[in-house]
Amino acid sequence: MQKLREEIIQTALKLFDAQGFHRVSVNQIVKEAGTSKGGFYHHFQSKDELLFVIHDTFITYVLKEAEAATETHHSPVEQIQEIIRSFVHVFDLYQSHITVFYQESNYVDETFEDEINRKRDQFKDKVIAVVKRGQEEGEFRHELPPEITGMAILGMVNWLNKWYRREGSHTIEEIAEVFTDLVLHFLLPGHGGVSGVEQSPPFFYGKK
């Protein structure tokens, strides 16, 4: 059953990307997926719910990873590094989901908007909370407004949706290193390191 659900999602992603959400019917999805309407409606109440699930898949991933980062690591520096790394990686892991959702987001049924916004706000609040804690513990610059700082981090990474390509000149791991380095340089006092926290030099250090 889980295999069929995933097959429906992958089929819908391809069709939505090629034709647009509003031009694709449930009949087309079940035909391409090699199933029946009964098989479709066993997993999804409607095409609108399917679009919601596409979004929920990747936002749930980044939210769980952020929660794991704050539970696993003690230092706010390590927490923000891990949050950024996993956030960047979602644009590779769920590239099709993200591309389709953002190009078809105008068609999201209002019945799902509250849940979408709730999880987005949870993730945003988690990032801002790590920034605030880092400031309180003296690891991050105290003069930076935490809300603006958190939104700057989210905005920078979210823009990957516009330009990241797997066949590009840099891997997703390298992009994560660059983003982490940028964030730490504007967060850490004096652009220096934090005592007790080991940081491996990013891949681009030492290049001319």
Side-chain angles (χ1 to χ4, degrees):
M1 283 296 182
Q2 189 63 30
K3 184 178 179 181
L4 175 58
R5 185 178 187 272
E6 187 58 30
E7 181 63 31
I8 292 171
I9 292 172
Q10 293 301 321
T11 299
L13 285 170
K14 285 187 262 188
L15 291 172
F16 292 164
D17 188 39
Q19 301 178 36
F21 175 81
H22 64 293
R23 292 192 181 95
V24 176
S25 67
V26 172
N27 284 336
Q28 284 178 277
I29 296 171
V30 300
K31 182 179 179 181
E32 289 290 326
T35 185
S36 62
K37 277 192 173 181
F40 179 92
Y41 289 114
H42 177 77
H43 295 284
F44 307 100
Q45 294 181 5
S46 63
K47 193 175 72 164
D48 292 312
E49 186 187 29
L50 177 54
L51 184 59
F52 163 74
V53 169
I54 286 170
H55 173 274
D56 195 61
T57 299
F58 66 84
I59 191 63
T60 297
Y61 171 85
V62 293
L63 185 55
K64 285 182 177 179
E65 290 294 310
E67 290 170 347
T70 55
E71 291 171 3
T72 304
H73 301 287
H74 174 72
S75 165
V77 172
E78 294 172 317
Q79 291 173 352
I80 203 69
Q81 285 177 304
E82 188 60 26
I83 288 172
I84 293 169
R85 187 200 64 78
S86 61
F87 190 19
V88 168
H89 274 75
V90 80
F91 287 86
D92 184 70
L93 290 170
Y94 294 106
Q95 188 175 44
S96 298
H97 293 67
I98 293 170
T99 298
V100 165
F101 178 78
Y102 280 110
Q103 72 185 22
E104 305 298 336
S105 59
N106 289 337
Y107 297 102
V108 174
D109 191 281
E110 61 182 11
T111 58
F112 299 110
E113 287 182 355
D114 286 346
E115 180 64 10
I116 287 173
N117 291 332
R118 184 183 70 82
K119 286 192 175 181
R120 284 174 171 250
D121 286 344
Q122 276 185 284
F123 183 61
K124 176 190 70 178
D125 293 344
K126 182 72 70 176
V127 173
I128 293 172
V130 171
V131 173
K132 286 181 177 178
R133 185 173 166 230
Q135 291 175 322
E136 291 166 359
E137 296 184 6
E139 292 191 5
F140 297 157
R141 291 165 56 198
H142 65 84
E143 71 273 16
L144 292 171
E147 290 80 9
I148 296 176
T149 302
M151 294 304 290
I153 293 170
L154 296 177
M156 179 178 71
V157 180
N158 268 319
W159 199 249
L160 276 168
N161 176 55
K162 297 293 185 181
W163 62 266
Y164 170 66
R165 299 292 181 270
R166 286 188 179 127
E167 66 277 11
S169 57
H170 292 289
T171 67
I172 199 70
E173 289 80 11
E174 290 174 337
I175 293 170
E177 285 190 34
V178 173
F179 278 21
T180 300
D181 189 75
L182 290 171
V183 170
L184 290 181
H185 271 77
F186 74 66
L187 278 179
L188 300 182
H191 303 278
V194 175
S195 177
V197 177
E198 293 186 6
Q199 299 174 46
S200 300
F203 76 97
F204 53 89
Y205 272 34
K207 284 189 175 182
K208 294 182 179 179

